[in-house]
Amino acid sequence: MSSKGKSPPAAHALTTMRIFQLTLALLFLSTVTYMAKFTTIWTAPSFKFSVDEAHAENLARLHEVLEMRGPNRFFVADFDAADTYLRTVNLAEGPVFVLLTSSEANGTYWCPDCEDARQPITDAFARAPTNTRLLEVSVGSPQDWKDDFNPFRTRSLFHIRKIPSLLKYDGDLKTSQLLSETFAMQPALLDFVFKSKPRVEMSHPASSYKTIRDGNEMLAFLEAYQGDYPLFLYFTSGIKRRTGRPWCPYCDIADVPLHFYFDKHAPKHAVLLTLVVADSFSEWKDRDNPFRQQSVAPVRAVPTLSRVVRASPTDPVSTRTYSLALKDIQALQSFFESPH
């Protein structure tokens, strides 16, 4: 009888102790969770990492070398840090652009074009949508940049020949929308690429842009052309699979500016016919390449910009080639605006 009478208090004491232990455990867990969140808020950079053990060392180094140079504007001093940043950046949070420049000495770029582009790019970025991010990357000293094996020249991520160069990051280690050298100093072009406010929209309809990849198809198109609208021919290279950009570096530099200035200065009923001459350099140099063989619209190099001339349907087709530098903005505008 006495042992049965003492059992309930023992069970009650055990239950109370268990509840107390569970309460302490929950309190400890809540404290740890709160501290983890607090630490993350105050130590994490303004972009999110997708943690991968294979990149842990690079990520740790990136934390050390990444500089913040303004709202959503960052700087790294070498290729590897830029590569790591782009591998881990979250594009769902907003677009990312990469500005490749020379190194600095006493706050000045050794590359004069980089220095001339500094303020226009800064001003245009300030007009960009607020979720836009800009990563500036130094290609190094003059000696570094002149090295033919400089990774900014050879690796597919950037693959540039000129600085400054502004590129949009598309994900999967691919870039596009190159603005290089003096083109990176043009406010209108920068606003177009950054999609700045007020947003720059294309004024020509989609029907104003056509693409042909076969020389014989081009000849048939020109034969059918009646001369009733301004027709411009843009001979360019195909896309290099490794980079996702034109294999011809000069076509790569010309592509965005040429399309932009056509849209802004060509008559509204004009057509820009893009002619992709070859998918590789070897195909372009082949003497049997149909674009090289034909003489109706002569082309000896890419990029080439021409205007088709046909006064009446009975007149033969001829072309007038733009012979000045594409970076001569005034001349390019005049070529598109000219009535003939």
Side-chain angles (χ1 to χ4, degrees):
M1 292 290 294
S2 60
S3 61
K4 290 182 180 179
K6 293 180 180 179
S7 295
H12 177 72
L14 182 60
T15 301
T16 302
M17 179 60 70
R18 187 62 176 168
I19 292 174
F20 179 73
Q21 291 173 337
L22 289 173
T23 301
L24 284 178
L26 289 172
L27 180 60
F28 176 78
L29 181 60
S30 298
T31 302
V32 170
T33 302
Y34 175 80
M35 291 303 296
K37 290 182 178 180
F38 181 86
T39 303
T40 300
I41 291 172
W42 286 98
T43 61
S46 58
F47 56 89
K48 294 181 180 179
F49 287 125
S50 175
V51 178
D52 184 341
E53 291 182 1
H55 300 293
E57 184 176 344
N58 286 337
L59 290 176
R61 178 174 175 270
L62 181 60
H63 274 290
E64 296 176 358
V65 301
L66 186 71
E67 297 180 22
M68 192 166 188
R69 294 192 167 181
N72 283 346
R73 186 164 182 172
F74 307 96
F75 171 82
V76 292
D78 60 68
F79 180 92
D80 289 339
D83 180 274
T84 300
Y85 176 90
L86 295 176
R87 286 177 185 273
T88 55
V89 76
N90 184 358
L91 290 180
E93 296 177 354
V96 174
F97 292 87
V98 183
L99 173 62
L100 305 173
T101 64
S102 70
S103 59
E104 294 178 272
N106 299 320
T108 302
Y109 296 117
W110 60 256
C111 163
D113 283 345
C114 296
E115 192 62 36
D116 290 342
R118 183 197 296 269
Q119 197 59 49
I121 291 174
T122 297
D123 293 343
F125 182 67
R127 296 190 294 269
T130 55
N131 64 343
T132 305
R133 287 159 290 175
L134 179 63
L135 176 69
E136 182 178 342
V137 189
S138 169
V139 302
S141 66
Q143 293 73 24
D144 293 332
W145 177 236
K146 290 177 182 178
D147 184 352
D148 290 337
F149 296 99
N150 185 306
F152 293 97
R153 294 179 180 273
T154 60
R155 301 281 290 276
S156 61
L157 176 57
F158 301 123
H159 202 62
I160 60 168
R161 289 195 175 187
K162 306 289 184 180
I163 52 174
S165 284
L166 179 70
L167 293 153
K168 183 180 181 183
Y169 181 60
D170 297 325
D172 297 324
L173 299 183
K174 293 289 192 299
T175 52
S176 65
Q177 297 193 39
L178 171 66
L179 290 183
S180 191
E181 292 188 295
T182 56
F183 292 129
M185 307 173 197
Q186 304 297 321
L189 268 174
L190 290 166
D191 284 348
F192 172 69
V193 169
F194 279 136
K195 298 295 187 291
S196 302
K197 297 178 181 179
R199 182 169 178 172
V200 180
E201 300 287 357
M202 300 296 277
S203 59
H204 282 71
S207 58
S208 294
Y209 302 92
K210 302 181 185 299
T211 300
I212 289 178
R213 300 175 178 274
D214 180 80
N216 294 323
E217 185 180 348
M218 179 197 73
L219 292 176
F221 187 96
L222 294 179
E223 181 63 29
Y225 174 62
Q226 300 294 301
D228 49 339
Y229 58 87
L231 176 60
F232 296 90
L233 307 180
Y234 171 42
F235 295 90
T236 186
S237 72
I239 300 300
K240 193 171 186 177
R241 183 179 302 177
R242 188 167 62 95
T243 63
R245 304 202 327 252
W247 56 257
C248 164
Y250 304 104
C251 300
D252 196 13
I253 292 173
D255 195 62
V256 172
L258 191 145
H259 280 83
F260 176 81
Y261 285 111
F262 165 82
D263 184 72
K264 295 305 169 189
H265 299 284
K268 298 307 177 188
H269 61 305
V271 169
L272 180 63
L273 178 61
T274 297
L275 301 159
V276 181
V277 300
D279 289 329
S280 67
F281 179 72
S282 60
E283 289 182 14
W284 167 237
K285 298 303 290 183
D286 186 345
R287 292 183 178 181
D288 293 330
N289 184 300
F291 287 101
R292 296 176 69 90
Q293 286 189 325
Q294 58 84 31
S295 58
V296 175
V299 55
R300 297 292 177 263
V302 287
T304 290
L305 176 65
S306 300
R307 180 166 181 168
V308 178
V309 179
R310 194 171 203 177
S312 71
T314 59
D315 291 335
V317 171
S318 62
T319 58
R320 180 165 62 89
T321 300
Y322 178 80
S323 58
L324 300 176
L326 286 174
K327 62 183 179 181
D328 187 338
I329 304 301
Q330 294 299 323
L332 188 60
Q333 291 178 3
S334 297
F335 187 78
F336 283 130
E337 291 173 346
S338 174
H340 301 292

mmCIF file of all heavy atoms in Angstrom, residues 26-43:
data_model
loop_
_atom_site.group_PDB
_atom_site.id
_atom_site.type_symbol
_atom_site.label_atom_id
_atom_site.label_comp_id
_atom_site.label_asym_id
_atom_site.label_seq_id
_atom_site.Cartn_x
_atom_site.Cartn_y
_atom_site.Cartn_z
ATOM 1 N N LEU A 26 14.373 24.202 -26.059
ATOM 2 C CA LEU A 26 13.719 25.089 -27.023
ATOM 3 C C LEU A 26 14.258 26.507 -26.923
ATOM 4 O O LEU A 26 14.455 27.193 -27.934
ATOM 5 C CB LEU A 26 12.206 25.075 -26.795
ATOM 6 C CG LEU A 26 11.484 23.786 -27.200
ATOM 7 C CD1 LEU A 26 10.028 23.824 -26.749
ATOM 8 C CD2 LEU A 26 11.564 23.591 -28.715
ATOM 9 N N LEU A 27 14.495 26.960 -25.703
ATOM 10 C CA LEU A 27 15.037 28.304 -25.503
ATOM 11 C C LEU A 27 16.429 28.417 -26.115
ATOM 12 O O LEU A 27 16.762 29.405 -26.775
ATOM 13 C CB LEU A 27 15.087 28.615 -24.005
ATOM 14 C CG LEU A 27 15.643 30.009 -23.631
ATOM 15 C CD1 LEU A 27 14.778 31.100 -24.248
ATOM 16 C CD2 LEU A 27 15.695 30.164 -22.112
ATOM 17 N N PHE A 28 17.241 27.389 -25.920
ATOM 18 C CA PHE A 28 18.589 27.391 -26.488
ATOM 19 C C PHE A 28 18.549 27.395 -28.019
ATOM 20 O O PHE A 28 19.279 28.139 -28.683
ATOM 21 C CB PHE A 28 19.355 26.156 -25.990
ATOM 22 C CG PHE A 28 20.727 26.017 -26.584
ATOM 23 C CD1 PHE A 28 21.779 26.790 -26.122
ATOM 24 C CD2 PHE A 28 20.963 25.125 -27.621
ATOM 25 C CE1 PHE A 28 23.046 26.683 -26.676
ATOM 26 C CE2 PHE A 28 22.222 25.005 -28.173
ATOM 27 C CZ PHE A 28 23.261 25.784 -27.701
ATOM 28 N N LEU A 29 17.659 26.567 -28.580
ATOM 29 C CA LEU A 29 17.530 26.497 -30.035
ATOM 30 C C LEU A 29 17.073 27.830 -30.613
ATOM 31 O O LEU A 29 17.585 28.301 -31.637
ATOM 32 C CB LEU A 29 16.549 25.388 -30.423
ATOM 33 C CG LEU A 29 16.321 25.168 -31.926
ATOM 34 C CD1 LEU A 29 17.640 24.793 -32.601
ATOM 35 C CD2 LEU A 29 15.284 24.075 -32.152
ATOM 36 N N SER A 30 16.120 28.472 -29.954
ATOM 37 C CA SER A 30 15.631 29.770 -30.423
ATOM 38 C C SER A 30 16.737 30.812 -30.376
ATOM 39 O O SER A 30 16.872 31.643 -31.279
ATOM 40 C CB SER A 30 14.449 30.223 -29.560
ATOM 41 O OG SER A 30 13.383 29.310 -29.669
ATOM 42 N N THR A 31 17.537 30.764 -29.313
ATOM 43 C CA THR A 31 18.636 31.727 -29.179
ATOM 44 C C THR A 31 19.665 31.548 -30.287
ATOM 45 O O THR A 31 20.125 32.517 -30.898
ATOM 46 C CB THR A 31 19.315 31.558 -27.809
ATOM 47 O OG1 THR A 31 18.340 31.741 -26.776
ATOM 48 C CG2 THR A 31 20.439 32.576 -27.634
ATOM 49 N N VAL A 32 20.014 30.293 -30.568
ATOM 50 C CA VAL A 32 20.991 30.009 -31.626
ATOM 51 C C VAL A 32 20.461 30.469 -32.981
ATOM 52 O O VAL A 32 21.178 31.079 -33.782
ATOM 53 C CB VAL A 32 21.327 28.506 -31.662
ATOM 54 C CG1 VAL A 32 22.150 28.169 -32.909
ATOM 55 C CG2 VAL A 32 22.084 28.112 -30.407
ATOM 56 N N THR A 33 19.180 30.186 -33.255
ATOM 57 C CA THR A 33 18.581 30.591 -34.529
ATOM 58 C C THR A 33 18.590 32.100 -34.682
ATOM 59 O O THR A 33 18.924 32.652 -35.736
ATOM 60 C CB THR A 33 17.137 30.063 -34.623
ATOM 61 O OG1 THR A 33 17.152 28.644 -34.492
ATOM 62 C CG2 THR A 33 16.510 30.449 -35.963
ATOM 63 N N TYR A 34 18.221 32.800 -33.615
ATOM 64 C CA TYR A 34 18.197 34.262 -33.658
ATOM 65 C C TYR A 34 19.594 34.827 -33.906
ATOM 66 O O TYR A 34 19.791 35.729 -34.723
ATOM 67 C CB TYR A 34 17.641 34.803 -32.341
ATOM 68 C CG TYR A 34 17.698 36.311 -32.244
ATOM 69 C CD1 TYR A 34 16.743 37.097 -32.870
ATOM 70 C CD2 TYR A 34 18.730 36.944 -31.542
ATOM 71 C CE1 TYR A 34 16.803 38.478 -32.803
ATOM 72 C CE2 TYR A 34 18.795 38.323 -31.469
ATOM 73 C CZ TYR A 34 17.830 39.083 -32.096
ATOM 74 O OH TYR A 34 17.893 40.438 -32.034
ATOM 75 N N MET A 35 20.589 34.276 -33.200
ATOM 76 C CA MET A 35 21.955 34.764 -33.369
ATOM 77 C C MET A 35 22.471 34.489 -34.772
ATOM 78 O O MET A 35 23.204 35.293 -35.347
ATOM 79 C CB MET A 35 22.874 34.108 -32.332
ATOM 80 C CG MET A 35 22.614 34.561 -30.898
ATOM 81 S SD MET A 35 22.767 36.356 -30.706
ATOM 82 C CE MET A 35 24.506 36.574 -31.080
ATOM 83 N N ALA A 36 22.073 33.350 -35.341
ATOM 84 C CA ALA A 36 22.502 33.033 -36.711
ATOM 85 C C ALA A 36 21.934 34.036 -37.693
ATOM 86 O O ALA A 36 22.626 34.527 -38.590
ATOM 87 C CB ALA A 36 22.062 31.618 -37.077
ATOM 88 N N LYS A 37 20.650 34.362 -37.530
ATOM 89 C CA LYS A 37 20.038 35.354 -38.412
ATOM 90 C C LYS A 37 20.672 36.718 -38.218
ATOM 91 O O LYS A 37 20.934 37.456 -39.159
ATOM 92 C CB LYS A 37 18.532 35.433 -38.142
ATOM 93 C CG LYS A 37 17.760 34.201 -38.587
ATOM 94 C CD LYS A 37 16.276 34.367 -38.326
ATOM 95 C CE LYS A 37 15.497 33.163 -38.817
ATOM 96 N NZ LYS A 37 14.044 33.309 -38.559
ATOM 97 N N PHE A 38 20.929 37.077 -36.959
ATOM 98 C CA PHE A 38 21.538 38.375 -36.656
ATOM 99 C C PHE A 38 22.914 38.477 -37.300
ATOM 100 O O PHE A 38 23.267 39.486 -37.918
ATOM 101 C CB PHE A 38 21.643 38.524 -35.135
ATOM 102 C CG PHE A 38 22.237 39.844 -34.701
ATOM 103 C CD1 PHE A 38 21.430 40.955 -34.560
ATOM 104 C CD2 PHE A 38 23.601 39.958 -34.449
ATOM 105 C CE1 PHE A 38 21.972 42.166 -34.174
ATOM 106 C CE2 PHE A 38 24.144 41.160 -34.067
ATOM 107 C CZ PHE A 38 23.335 42.273 -33.920
ATOM 108 N N THR A 39 23.699 37.400 -37.181
ATOM 109 C CA THR A 39 25.045 37.390 -37.764
ATOM 110 C C THR A 39 24.988 37.481 -39.273
ATOM 111 O O THR A 39 25.768 38.193 -39.903
ATOM 112 C CB THR A 39 25.786 36.105 -37.352
ATOM 113 O OG1 THR A 39 25.827 36.033 -35.929
ATOM 114 C CG2 THR A 39 27.204 36.091 -37.919
ATOM 115 N N THR A 40 24.035 36.767 -39.895
ATOM 116 C CA THR A 40 23.907 36.798 -41.350
ATOM 117 C C THR A 40 23.587 38.195 -41.840
ATOM 118 O O THR A 40 24.145 38.687 -42.819
ATOM 119 C CB THR A 40 22.802 35.825 -41.807
ATOM 120 O OG1 THR A 40 23.159 34.511 -41.390
ATOM 121 C CG2 THR A 40 22.640 35.862 -43.322
ATOM 122 N N ILE A 41 22.675 38.872 -41.152
ATOM 123 C CA ILE A 41 22.269 40.218 -41.566
ATOM 124 C C ILE A 41 23.445 41.170 -41.559
ATOM 125 O O ILE A 41 23.624 41.990 -42.456
ATOM 126 C CB ILE A 41 21.146 40.739 -40.638
ATOM 127 C CG1 ILE A 41 19.864 39.938 -40.892
ATOM 128 C CG2 ILE A 41 20.908 42.225 -40.858
ATOM 129 C CD1 ILE A 41 18.757 40.245 -39.909
ATOM 130 N N TRP A 42 24.314 41.045 -40.537
ATOM 131 C CA TRP A 42 25.377 42.030 -40.382
ATOM 132 C C TRP A 42 26.681 41.642 -41.053
ATOM 133 O O TRP A 42 27.572 42.474 -41.181
ATOM 134 C CB TRP A 42 25.620 42.283 -38.895
ATOM 135 C CG TRP A 42 24.517 43.110 -38.306
ATOM 136 C CD1 TRP A 42 23.439 42.675 -37.612
ATOM 137 C CD2 TRP A 42 24.377 44.529 -38.417
ATOM 138 N NE1 TRP A 42 22.631 43.731 -37.279
ATOM 139 C CE2 TRP A 42 23.178 44.881 -37.747
ATOM 140 C CE3 TRP A 42 25.150 45.531 -39.003
ATOM 141 C CZ2 TRP A 42 22.737 46.187 -37.665
ATOM 142 C CZ3 TRP A 42 24.708 46.842 -38.918
ATOM 143 C CH2 TRP A 42 23.516 47.163 -38.252
ATOM 144 N N THR A 43 26.811 40.401 -41.479
ATOM 145 C CA THR A 43 28.080 39.995 -42.095
ATOM 146 C C THR A 43 27.945 39.640 -43.558
ATOM 147 O O THR A 43 28.935 39.643 -44.274
ATOM 148 C CB THR A 43 28.678 38.775 -41.369
ATOM 149 O OG1 THR A 43 27.774 37.672 -41.475
ATOM 150 C CG2 THR A 43 28.944 39.096 -39.910
#
